[in-house]
Amino acid sequence: MSALQLIAGKTAKQRIEEHGLTPSLLRMIVGASGGPKWLVLKGLDRFLCHEFLPKADQKIDLVGSSIGAWRMTVYAHPEPGRIFDEFLRGYFSFRTEHAKTTEELTKVSYDIIHQLFTEQETDRLLTNANRNLNIIAVRGKGIAGSRQAWIEALGILVSAFANSIDRRHLKSHFERAIFHSQGIANPEAWQGFDILEAQLTSRSLADALMASGSIPFLSAPVVDIEGAEKGVYRDGGVIDYHFDVPWHYPDGIILYPHFYGHIVPGWFDKSKPARHAAGAVWDQMLMLAPTDEFVSALPGGKITDRKDFTQMSDDERLSCWNTVISNSEKLADEFAELLDDPGKLIDSLQPAPGT
């Protein structure tokens, strides 16, 4: 049974065939929203941070929303391997008692960020010339941007209904907020929504990360982030759950370690398979994802998710999570084996949807 599937767009496959899949081929790495789903990628993340990225001395754009933004912030550090290991320890330190109130959840989340990204470490990652970090959030418009919680909640419900009719209607309720270290990644590719941009600083990084993961109805928004336009900021996954963005580079590829083998455009599109991205979005992308067979062998036959916090005790959850991250090493092992056998790697590439 293969644990790992590699899904490649047409141009990505051509460039891998011509140049080989080496660290120097990367132009962008993408991290999706999804909360604890990311744990199935732990093996891949650790391999990339410890073994692969340190060999890439070119500029790489790192784009993420929600937990993907946290992961890409780790990737942006000059010592991603060390920071990744510390991030994993911090993530596993969370306990159910920390989420009894929104205030407690917010405090614990900020504590994890500040322990991981001290002022010194933040300065190091934001001044890393070879890594351009882009943290994606949204800013509410109209009543979806109200500072009164019940009015904002009503605005979010209205936006969900509008999105159910047509994703384009979502632009009337939210705009993309891109917090970056060196500029918007591949700026001409972003489509469909107004963009607010802001330069990341050591003072705004924590707020940007918190905003990017501020899930509607589950956590409080972040209001008035320093260096950005005033407003109410929410989870970047509202617009960019898995990123339906046709990024384009004159050379190289986009690497996407993902917990699914498909791309859901926005948070409200999760129940709409017909909206899964196809075509140009995939063209320069190589996605690394667990196979269905691998997932079916995990505890409960599924990858980890937020329901684990309510359906399991902390001991049960952590036992399950440890099994998942242990098994995730199979993804890294298979990827490493393919890197050592270019012919087998090329043969393993599956065509992306619509390419």
Side-chain angles (χ1 to χ4, degrees):
M1 177 193 76
S2 294
L4 179 68
Q5 57 179 326
L6 288 76
I7 306 170
K10 182 178 179 180
T11 298
K13 182 179 180 182
Q14 291 173 344
R15 291 175 178 174
I16 293 170
E17 289 174 337
E18 182 177 354
H19 302 288
L21 182 53
T22 64
S24 63
L25 196 64
L26 303 187
R27 296 296 174 268
M28 174 185 282
I29 307 177
V30 183
S33 300
K37 293 183 180 74
W38 83 273
L39 291 171
V40 77
L41 302 175
K42 178 264 181 181
L44 280 174
D45 273 348
R46 192 175 193 283
F47 176 81
L48 291 170
C49 286
H50 277 270
E51 306 294 335
F52 207 68
L53 283 177
K55 300 174 184 176
D57 58 5
Q58 75 279 14
K59 181 179 178 180
I60 299 175
D61 292 322
L62 303 167
V63 179
S65 61
S66 196
I67 190 61
W70 290 52
R71 292 168 55 226
M72 293 304 104
T73 302
V74 171
Y75 279 37
H77 194 277
E79 297 180 77
R82 175 176 63 83
I83 298 298
F84 174 80
D85 292 344
E86 294 178 7
F87 167 58
L88 186 66
R89 286 193 290 272
Y91 197 83
F92 266 70
S93 71
F94 186 87
R95 297 294 183 269
T96 304
E97 65 186 43
H98 297 152
K100 289 181 178 178
T101 67
T102 299
E103 292 75 17
E104 288 177 303
L105 175 61
T106 299
K107 179 183 182 304
V108 170
S109 299
Y110 270 111
D111 286 346
I112 291 174
I113 293 173
H114 289 140
Q115 290 169 13
L116 184 63
F117 299 114
T118 62
E119 183 174 354
Q120 180 181 8
E121 301 292 14
T122 298
D123 286 342
R124 292 187 68 196
L125 75 87
L126 293 181
T127 57
N128 185 359
N130 289 332
R131 304 290 182 262
N132 177 30
L133 176 62
N134 278 224
I135 296 173
I136 312 302
V138 298
R139 188 178 73 150
K141 294 181 176 181
I143 61 173
S146 175
R147 294 167 187 252
Q148 296 187 47
W150 73 270
I151 297 178
E152 185 212 12
L154 177 61
I156 292 171
L157 290 173
V158 170
S159 72
F161 175 74
N163 183 84
S164 70
I165 299 171
D166 193 309
R167 176 168 157 81
R168 290 175 297 181
H169 294 328
L170 197 59
K171 67 186 294 185
S172 299
H173 304 273
F174 295 99
E175 63 183 339
R176 278 190 178 107
I178 304 180
F179 297 87
H180 56 78
S181 60
Q182 298 179 37
I184 296 177
N186 206 195
E188 67 280 358
W190 300 84
Q191 301 173 355
F193 295 88
D194 295 332
I195 290 179
L196 174 159
E197 67 168 304
Q199 182 79 34
L200 282 167
T201 69
S202 59
R203 293 182 300 278
S204 66
L205 178 68
D207 284 342
L209 284 172
M210 286 293 292
S212 186
S214 177
I215 303 170
F217 307 115
L218 290 180
S219 55
V222 178
V223 180
D224 296 345
I225 298 175
E226 182 175 328
E229 293 183 38
K230 294 184 179 300
V232 175
Y233 291 85
R234 280 284 184 188
D235 195 312
V238 170
I239 291 176
D240 295 305
Y241 192 51
H242 297 165
F243 292 100
D244 184 6
V245 181
W247 292 297
H248 179 85
Y249 291 87
D251 58 8
I253 66 167
I254 299 161
L255 184 67
Y256 195 168
H258 193 27
F259 29 81
Y260 295 137
H262 58 264
I263 295 173
V264 178
W267 194 56
F268 298 126
D269 300 318
K270 290 185 288 185
S271 62
K272 301 180 182 296
R275 292 191 182 179
H276 288 182
V281 172
W282 287 88
D283 183 53
Q284 298 188 6
M285 183 180 293
L286 172 65
M287 179 178 286
L288 309 178
T291 62
D292 291 342
E293 294 79 12
F294 173 82
V295 172
S296 66
L298 295 176
K302 68 176 188 67
I303 61 176
T304 46
D305 59 36
R306 286 198 312 274
K307 293 179 182 178
D308 295 346
F309 288 108
T310 57
Q311 295 179 350
M312 302 179 188
S313 68
D314 281 338
D315 288 344
E316 291 170 333
R317 175 177 58 82
L318 293 174
S319 175
C320 172
W321 283 14
N322 276 306
T323 298
V324 170
I325 66 171
S326 177
N327 287 355
S328 77
E329 296 297 335
K330 297 176 184 177
L331 304 179
D333 291 342
E334 289 190 13
F335 186 52
E337 290 173 6
L338 290 173
L339 292 175
D340 290 336
D341 189 342
K344 185 177 180 180
L345 186 148
I346 296 298
D347 290 340
S348 71
L349 298 179
Q350 304 173 29
T355 63

